Amino acid sequence: MKFPSYRIQSNYYQKVGALFGICGSVISITLWVILIFFAKGQHASKLYIITQILPGIVGLVSSVLKKVWPLIIVFLILLPLGLYMAMNPSIFRYFGLALAFYLFSIILLLVGNRIRKKKLPEFEGQDIVIEQNNDDIY
């Protein structure tokens, strides 16, 4: 009996996509915490925390759960300010890296979901039963 290889590919894409999403979220949250609490002349505002750190946390949770749509929403929320911050010549230029990780994560999770939904015709509508053949033991 052959096992369908598309399940293995789907799991691979989803695991790598989740890893990219987790890395992007960790980079984004870390940079926003540095910007809000440790940058000179900046004041910690509840608005920054709600609009920037909260999407990073949502992105982290959705990456762990391998959900695509919350990750797309997080990417779109962080995109404008993230691109602006990526053009700065300081440490905050790494926001572009976080956005790239989010984008690769979204692409890989979508590919993994598409492969997972693919059905092979030889297994469609059939119950797969694995039988043990004791003749091969001797």
Side-chain angles (χ1 to χ4, degrees):
M1 176 183 158
K2 293 182 180 179
F3 291 105
S5 64
Y6 67 93
R7 291 281 188 196
I8 296 170
Q9 288 177 341
S10 170
N11 288 338
Y12 175 74
Y13 283 120
Q14 287 188 332
K15 286 180 183 179
V16 173
L19 182 65
F20 273 119
I22 290 169
C23 290
S25 295
V26 168
I27 291 170
S28 177
I29 292 170
T30 304
L31 289 173
W32 281 116
V33 166
I34 290 171
L35 179 65
I36 292 171
F37 296 113
F38 299 112
K40 293 182 181 180
Q42 296 291 328
H43 300 288
S45 171
K46 291 180 184 177
L47 184 64
Y48 273 132
I49 293 171
I50 292 171
T51 60
Q52 304 305 322
I53 293 180
L54 190 61
I57 294 170
V58 170
L60 183 68
V61 171
S62 64
S63 295
V64 169
L65 297 177
K66 299 174 186 166
K67 302 291 182 186
V68 180
W69 291 108
L71 204 58
I72 291 172
I73 293 169
V74 165
F75 176 73
L76 292 176
I77 289 172
L78 295 177
L79 183 65
L81 194 55
L83 286 176
Y84 172 74
M85 296 299 289
M87 291 183 232
N88 288 330
S90 64
I91 189 174
F92 303 113
R93 66 179 175 265
Y94 293 115
F95 278 114
L97 183 64
L99 291 174
F101 275 124
Y102 278 134
L103 185 62
F104 289 140
S105 173
I106 290 167
I107 291 169
L108 289 173
L109 287 175
L110 285 174
V111 168
N113 286 344
R114 185 149 175 107
I115 292 173
R116 176 170 282 190
K117 290 179 183 177
K118 178 180 172 183
K119 291 183 180 179
L120 296 178
E122 68 260 13
F123 294 114
E124 194 171 311
Q126 297 178 5
D127 291 333
I128 299 174
V129 178
I130 300 175
E131 296 178 3
Q132 184 176 5
N133 188 356
N134 291 333
D135 296 337
D136 296 336
I137 297 175
Y138 300 107

